[in-house]
Amino acid sequence: MISNQILQSTVDGLKNITRRDIVVIDREGKLAASTEAVTSPVPHSYIENVLQSPAENQLIQGSQYFKVLDNGIPEYVLMVKGDDEDAFRLGRLATFHIQTLMMAYKERYDRDNFIKNLLLDNLLLVDIYSRANKLRIENNAARVVFLIETTLDAELSAVEVLRNMFPERQLDFVTAVDERSIILVKELTEGESEQAINAIAHSIVDTLTSEAMNPAYVAIGGVVNDLKDVSSSYKEARLAQEVGKIFETDQQIVNYQSLGIGRLIYQLPLPLCRMFINEMLQGFSIEDIDEEMFITVTKFFENDLNVSETSRELFIHRNTLVYRLDKLQKMTKLDLRKFGDAITFKITLMVNMYLQYREKQQF
């Protein structure tokens, strides 16, 4: 059922056009909307007469009364003052308009529930296709799920901003799933590339930051070509969100297709992670590395183990960088100037990051 606020907006708009007052009462006799200050309630007997009558409208005490039906069941009684032809036409018009609104809102929320249940794998395969057909949702279309993490205020302004960004309600779907997360199921045009998908994610981040004044973090699932596989894209987006929080903490956008080795490490059991770290570092702890050394190692990896470029970007002498790498070699028995040792240490750092993240979640 539509809200009283929507009803009030509707009758106000009709009055602005027709200059006639309209009153809408629900089936229990409560005032739902009115364009005039109602000093006395409409007699309940009038409402009962209209609801129980087989006729769609009645003229009672100089006012036109109309039944507003929802699937053949009276939901409201609409009253227009006056017994002339214009009052009758206005009543018919207002009744038709409200009934159309109720159908549209019901279809929208049916569609919302369908997509939510689809994402959560709550539908049988046969139900997916039959309900999609009734809701006029294309089965064989390329889609991708964006999982947006942001701060939602009381009015859910971030959700409205996204709905305004993607107004094609029949193609795209936007909903809030909790106090911090929004889902966008985006239908793609033929041949839309991974680059275009990333561009959409960047536009979401930029728009939410500028219009909703909220920082945003976007995780992207894989592209699917069948409606039944949308839930897979959603799961991939959730996985990308989790993996990104561990290994891509400086990024606002993370794509499931670009998770790399982080996706493999995320699947490891914790005992195996601890065993690997102890085997690689032989009792040395990652926590023993100071901030200066950690920055040096990070920059060294970013520059593909290039000593000259790393020392230049760190504004230190080449010999200073060599000294630091030698110091780390003594602590870990790994020489990062050798490709094999560098790979081992890089993976060890990532496994340690994953281990710390999982252990924090347990408390």
Side-chain angles (χ1 to χ4, degrees):
M1 186 181 296
I2 58 179
S3 67
N4 289 353
Q5 183 179 359
I6 298 295
L7 285 174
Q8 187 63 54
S9 176
T10 301
V11 296
D12 284 341
L14 289 171
K15 181 180 178 179
N16 288 337
I17 298 171
T18 63
R19 304 301 179 188
R20 291 273 192 142
D21 285 313
I22 303 171
V23 178
V24 181
I25 303 129
D26 66 22
R27 59 188 302 163
E28 296 177 356
K30 297 178 182 178
L31 183 67
S34 176
T35 58
E36 63 175 358
V38 179
T39 56
S40 60
V42 177
H44 190 69
S45 59
Y46 291 7
I47 305 302
E48 287 296 320
N49 287 338
V50 175
L51 292 175
Q52 294 175 9
S53 171
E56 292 186 1
N57 68 285
Q58 291 186 51
L59 178 63
I60 304 175
Q61 294 295 315
S63 295
Q64 301 279 1
Y65 288 81
F66 298 83
K67 284 190 291 191
V68 182
L69 305 177
D70 182 11
N71 283 341
I73 300 174
E75 287 293 338
Y76 300 102
V77 172
L78 183 142
M79 181 190 76
V80 179
K81 288 189 175 181
D83 56 4
D84 57 336
E85 188 67 22
D86 287 343
F88 175 77
R89 288 200 186 96
L90 173 57
R92 290 290 300 272
L93 175 64
T95 300
F96 173 77
H97 188 57
I98 293 174
Q99 288 178 165
T100 304
L101 273 177
M102 288 195 295
M103 290 177 59
Y105 269 76
K106 180 179 291 187
E107 180 174 308
R108 172 184 169 182
Y109 286 110
D110 281 351
R111 185 173 184 272
D112 287 359
N113 289 330
F114 169 70
I115 297 294
K116 288 177 182 177
N117 285 317
L118 180 66
L119 292 170
L120 297 174
D121 279 334
N122 289 339
L123 296 171
L124 296 174
L125 186 61
V126 64
D127 292 332
I128 292 175
Y129 295 129
S130 62
R131 291 185 62 182
N133 184 53
K134 291 179 182 178
L135 295 169
R136 299 186 297 279
I137 298 175
E138 180 67 33
N139 286 320
N140 300 315
R143 294 180 175 90
V144 63
V145 173
F146 295 83
L147 184 57
I148 302 109
E149 185 173 302
T150 187
T151 302
L152 304 182
D153 57 26
E155 285 91 25
L156 298 178
S157 63
V159 176
E160 293 307 316
V161 168
L162 286 173
R163 284 176 176 160
N164 290 332
M165 286 182 67
F166 306 98
E168 291 292 336
R169 298 287 175 84
Q170 200 60 32
L171 302 179
D172 304 325
F173 168 80
V174 177
T175 188
V177 291
D178 55 39
E179 66 276 7
R180 291 189 58 82
S181 300
I182 304 171
I183 293 174
L184 164 65
V185 181
K186 181 77 176 69
E187 185 171 319
L188 304 175
T189 58
E190 186 175 353
E192 202 156 10
S193 65
E194 196 71 32
Q195 185 177 1
I197 294 172
N198 287 325
I200 293 172
H202 280 285
S203 69
I204 291 172
V205 170
D206 293 342
T207 303
L208 287 179
T209 302
S210 60
E211 293 190 22
M213 304 301 290
N214 286 330
Y217 180 91
V218 179
I220 309 170
V223 177
V224 295
N225 295 296
D226 195 298
L227 190 62
K228 66 179 175 60
D229 297 324
V230 168
S231 62
S232 298
S233 182
Y234 171 57
K235 292 171 185 175
E236 291 169 353
R238 288 185 61 187
L239 177 62
Q241 184 186 59
E242 286 294 315
V243 174
K245 287 180 179 178
I246 303 171
F247 305 115
E248 304 286 346
T249 54
D250 58 336
Q251 300 294 320
Q252 287 183 280
I253 297 170
V254 58
N255 194 322
Y256 177 81
Q257 304 294 341
S258 307
L259 293 179
I261 195 172
R263 178 167 43 208
L264 296 177
I265 293 174
Y266 188 80
Q267 312 297 325
L268 296 176
L270 299 187
L272 185 60
C273 292
R274 297 188 185 97
M275 185 185 302
F276 175 80
I277 291 175
N278 290 333
E279 180 182 343
M280 292 299 103
L281 299 183
Q282 302 177 11
F284 175 75
S285 175
I286 296 293
E287 283 67 37
D288 293 336
I289 301 177
D290 58 35
E291 184 178 359
E292 181 182 67
M293 182 67 78
F294 192 80
I295 292 174
T296 300
V297 171
T298 302
K299 186 62 67 174
F300 191 54
F301 285 143
E302 288 178 359
N303 287 293
D304 300 323
L305 314 185
N306 188 307
V307 174
S308 300
E309 186 64 23
T310 302
S311 59
R312 185 184 68 81
E313 291 190 13
L314 290 174
F315 301 103
I316 59 176
H317 195 277
R318 177 188 175 93
N319 291 341
T320 302
L321 176 59
V322 171
Y323 169 76
R324 292 180 185 176
L325 295 176
D326 288 341
K327 180 180 177 182
L328 184 65
Q329 182 180 1
K330 291 178 181 178
M331 292 188 292
T332 64
K333 307 297 188 294
L334 296 171
D335 184 358
L336 300 195
R337 288 159 291 193
K338 296 180 179 179
F339 181 76
D341 285 356
I343 288 293
T344 299
F345 191 67
K346 176 67 174 178
I347 294 175
T348 302
L349 286 177
M350 294 182 69
V351 171
N352 187 70
M353 291 168 64
Y354 169 64
L355 186 61
Q356 288 183 328
Y357 178 81
R358 291 292 300 272
E359 288 177 343
K360 286 180 181 178
Q361 286 187 318
Q362 294 177 354
F363 294 100

